Amino acid sequence: MTDPTPQRPSPLNRRQFFAVGGSLAAAGVLAACGSDTGRTAASSPGAAASTGSTSTATGSSSAAVSASSVSGGPSSSAGGAKPTLQQWYHQYGEEGTKAAVEKYAAAYPDATVKVGWFPGDYDSKLASALLTADAPDVFEAGNGPSIDAIQGGLVEPLDDLLGDAKSDFNQALISRMSYQDKLYAIPQVIDMQLLVYRKSLLDAAGVKPPTTFDELAAAAKALTDGDQKGLFVGNDGGVGILTGPTLWSVGADYLTDDDKVGFTDPSVATAFGKLHELFASDSLLLGAPSDWFSADAINTGLTAMQFTGLWTFPDLIKELGDDFGVLPWPKFSADGAGAPSVPIGAFGSAVSAKGKNVDAAKAFVKYLWVDNAADQVDFAQSYGFHFPARESLADQATKLKEGTAAEAVKILQEYSHAQSPLLWTPASATALSDAVTKIIKNGADPASTLAGVVSKVKAELKRVVK
Amino acid sequence: MSAPTVVAPRPARRGTLKQRLLGPQNRNLWFWVFVGPFLVGLAIFVYVPILWSLYLSFFDARNTVTPTDFVGFDNYTFMLTDPAFLSSMGTFLVFAIFIVPVTFAFGLGLALAVNRTRWFQAFFRSAFFLPAACSYVVAALIWKMSIFNGFRSGVANGLLGVFDIDSVKWLSITTPPWYWLVLVTLRLWLQVGFYMILFLAGLQRIPPILYEAASIDGAKPGWQTFRYITFPQLRATSVAVLVLLLINAFQAFDEFYNILSNFGTYPPYARPPLVYLYYVALGSQQDLGRGSAGAIILAILIGLITVLQARFTREKRS
């Protein structure tokens, strides 16, 4: 373009240019569709087949699944007009998960299930999609559908699907996903956050596993040595994952049992003030290449203790062997009202009320997340590390019976809290996380900053408590 | 753009209604064949959403785009008294006050330098322009993960290490606010080249005769020539560049969102209006009424500033 040689023919004439440009643009549009909706990728059998080969090697439980898919084969070919269902998942980080859910979907005999798989901000995509006619028939939602989706009539109640199995599910999660005695999602697997530490590093520094916040802060300081920091709670200094544990550590909560603001006690301000001290102490790991939800920081020696997810267990075992232990987030002080805690959450499978095949969608959810125990165990255990949402299945989960995993199970049984209450709306969450950021990072006065959140939360409660 | 019937050579005496509608040589028909599809696209994807947003802004529209609960100006009152929204406006102001003049100066400086170069001009022009073709998202990830991560493995901290300076946690701390350095360098790298091209085009349209005349009149090359010939001649380009820069700063979203957002949350600092509105309207809050009100307030503000800027620069001329 810059070379002024008019006599030389340009390598592309105009028509060729448009042809190339057009196909490039088309490819771009197609690629955009693929990554945006995930539908094209899910419906291509090649993708499923190529990734499927990796997952068949993962464990014996998947053999049972493939057997069921074979048995489902003939009946599906005999059936005439099967409904088509869209099923949405957020992108799981663990290898093989996508192939697994596609396999479960393909094995379902009574409907053609197309899996949508969404990287990035899944919650926003889901919330927008639920408003439209193209809402997915079946979808997973973090801790179930939002209170606004429930009150807006966007999701179907699912109580009739559970039957006798209801008491078998984790009751904390069942109540988290229920509103006014109706259940709006079926918990798939339980995820838990917890404190992980390197036994050898604590021993070398002569530090005991901490049982109060002050002990934890002191341990973090003692374990800090040059580029190795004592504790990692996320690159944001704990704003994202420590709010709940900090509230529970002093016996407070987001909301009280009768739906009032739950963090007005002065001890809450004290506890958040301590998080700022920790942030400023130079014993926290900040700016790590991978954030708290990956085990990379503790595995590569950047930190001695890390608040992370249970799903990192396979990585931890692979890299550290048995050189790691687990703890709940400690209570704030030995004599206060608080208790140790771990947040638990679950993606729940829900059904859109606006779908064209609501009954078929409910039947599929019942098939996959209530009746089909083999797939549920496979999903909880073969890709990453999660607890089954049902107690009867936990007995089948052999990996949970020994060593550190068994300790984690004990922590779950004793100290777990549902991540946040149903009536804790995103607007309330934003207000509190803004305030906590200001306290932790800028050292803002905890009492007055938290007081500013109360009016916002009250306004939200006024809106949603009906 | 104007209707081509104006140039009809004589009144169409024999013209039926159909012929008159089609215009001479079917020009009206062709006008609509070419313009129509774009107009339809513009209407569907730009004007309808804007009007719909205006409509939504007067309703309590949570989780719905067909609301029924009319609330008048309540959403506007809420947004204009919402400290988080106002602080996002403050963020934008700080960002614009800095980024607009700096990008302007760098773009102009580069254009002047490239314009004077005798050798490899095409190479430099391409090299400086190339970043403009890079996606904000990709660049944001590179900036966040490989250049400005908090460790020695990051390029920035690696450089500091050469001078025995401690690693800086660029994106985790707020005092001093190093995150601005990350955001600003990224935007400069991405957009300076584009404005350089605009200035280059402007520079090459200045008639050489002006420089010759100035030289004969005794103007010294360098600052004097730039001050009295080049810069005034670039007025049209400069005004366009300023308007574009300001609108771009207003629309800042990609690099902020990708660099600072953290697992579904966004810190309350360095949060420009669009990022805040994204969380209100499109994120999990789905409060389309208030989000739309915020968007309309923003649009009015951009319009006002653009008009004022145009007036201001025009008055300077006379």
Side-chain angles (χ1 to χ4, degrees), chain B residues 229-269:
Chain B
I229 310 279
T230 312
F231 196 59
Q233 287 289 321
L234 282 177
R235 176 180 297 279
T237 313
S238 305
V239 171
V241 165
L242 279 180
V243 172
L244 283 177
L245 275 174
L246 200 72
I247 291 176
N248 268 346
F250 244 122
Q251 294 177 337
F253 179 87
D254 295 4
E255 79 270 41
F256 283 83
Y257 181 77
N258 283 294
I259 287 181
L260 288 175
S261 77
N262 219 322
F263 212 62
T265 63
Y266 193 97
Y269 53 85

Side-chain angles (χ1 to χ4, degrees), chain B residues 108-218:
Chain B
L108 182 57
L110 269 185
L112 289 170
V114 168
N115 201 35
R116 283 179 62 96
T117 312
R118 284 157 189 270
W119 294 284
F120 302 117
Q121 200 192 71
F123 167 77
F124 284 120
R125 200 163 46 194
S126 314
F128 288 130
F129 180 69
L130 217 53
C134 181
S135 140
Y136 268 85
V137 179
V138 173
L141 292 180
I142 294 173
W143 249 247
K144 179 180 186 171
M145 287 148 91
S146 21
I147 302 184
F148 287 105
N149 80 35
F151 288 87
R152 285 283 179 245
S153 59
V155 175
N157 278 326
L159 272 179
L160 291 181
V162 175
F163 302 103
D164 266 347
I165 302 174
D166 280 346
S167 291
V168 176
K169 319 288 182 204
W170 304 101
L171 292 169
S172 291
I173 55 172
T174 53
T175 45
W178 286 118
Y179 52 86
W180 277 121
L181 181 78
V182 182
L183 293 164
V184 163
T185 48
L186 169 70
R187 184 162 271 247
L188 282 178
W189 183 75
L190 276 175
Q191 64 175 18
V192 159
F194 175 75
Y195 294 102
M196 175 202 74
I197 293 286
L198 294 188
F199 278 122
L200 263 181
L203 282 175
Q204 283 164 3
R205 284 184 42 159
I206 301 174
I209 196 168
L210 288 178
Y211 292 106
E212 289 160 15
S215 161
I216 290 169
D217 287 346

Side-chain angles (χ1 to χ4, degrees), chain A residues 36 47 157 203 226 272 289 312 447:
Chain A
D36 267 10
D203 288 345
F272 278 111
T312 59

